[in-house]
Amino acid sequence: MASACNSGQAVHDCESLTGRKNDGPGADGGIDVDSSTAVAQVKQTRAQVGRPDVQRLYGVACSLNNVALFFSANGYSLDARAWADRYGVELHESDHRLAKFR
């Protein structure tokens, strides 16, 4: 896994929610964490996550018949939030002061 925070708290929190991590393709080319019931992506970027990233995760989750969980260090665009609400993608944001996700 080559996520920007692949050894940090975000992945640990994802793993505790989903059950295991994915050591598959990196460079943000895929799912960071997966289990039999959920897939998750973790982004630690300076920009907010946009709708296209949320849609891609949702597409993977649907193909596996799993729940989609997205973790972002800098939040989500309004368009991404609206799309996630409509399609049931769970969005989680980092609390920079505590370095934890909620």
Side-chain angles (χ1 to χ4, degrees), residues 5 12 21 26 28 36 39 42 48-49 51-53 60-62 71 101:
C5 54
H12 171 69
K21 67 180 178 178
D28 227 23
S36 61
V39 293
V42 179
Q48 291 183 326
V49 171
R51 179 188 40 80
D53 288 324
V60 172
C62 284
F71 294 79
F101 281 83

Side-chain angles (χ1 to χ4, degrees), residues 9 95-102:
Q9 184 67 39
D95 180 335
H96 296 287
R97 293 167 296 151
L98 300 175
K100 292 200 175 220
F101 281 83
R102 56 179 181 264

Side-chain angles (χ1 to χ4, degrees), residues 7-99:
S7 62
Q9 184 67 39
V11 170
H12 171 69
D13 290 349
C14 271
E15 290 169 9
S16 69
L17 288 172
T18 62
R20 70 181 185 92
K21 67 180 178 178
N22 179 6
D23 292 323
D28 227 23
I31 300 305
D32 293 311
V33 181
D34 71 342
S35 77
S36 61
T37 60
V39 293
Q41 185 160 16
V42 179
K43 283 209 181 268
Q44 186 170 336
T45 61
R46 293 180 191 256
Q48 291 183 326
V49 171
R51 179 188 40 80
D53 288 324
V54 175
Q55 287 177 307
R56 279 190 288 275
L57 174 66
Y58 179 77
V60 172
C62 284
S63 72
L64 299 170
N65 200 30
N66 284 351
V67 173
L69 306 170
F70 213 120
F71 294 79
S72 171
N74 256 343
Y76 303 88
S77 70
L78 292 176
D79 198 26
R81 287 180 181 281
W83 200 92
D85 285 346
R86 181 174 180 189
Y87 290 96
V89 177
E90 293 185 32
L91 303 181
H92 301 271
E93 295 180 48
S94 130
D95 180 335
H96 296 287
R97 293 167 296 151
L98 300 175

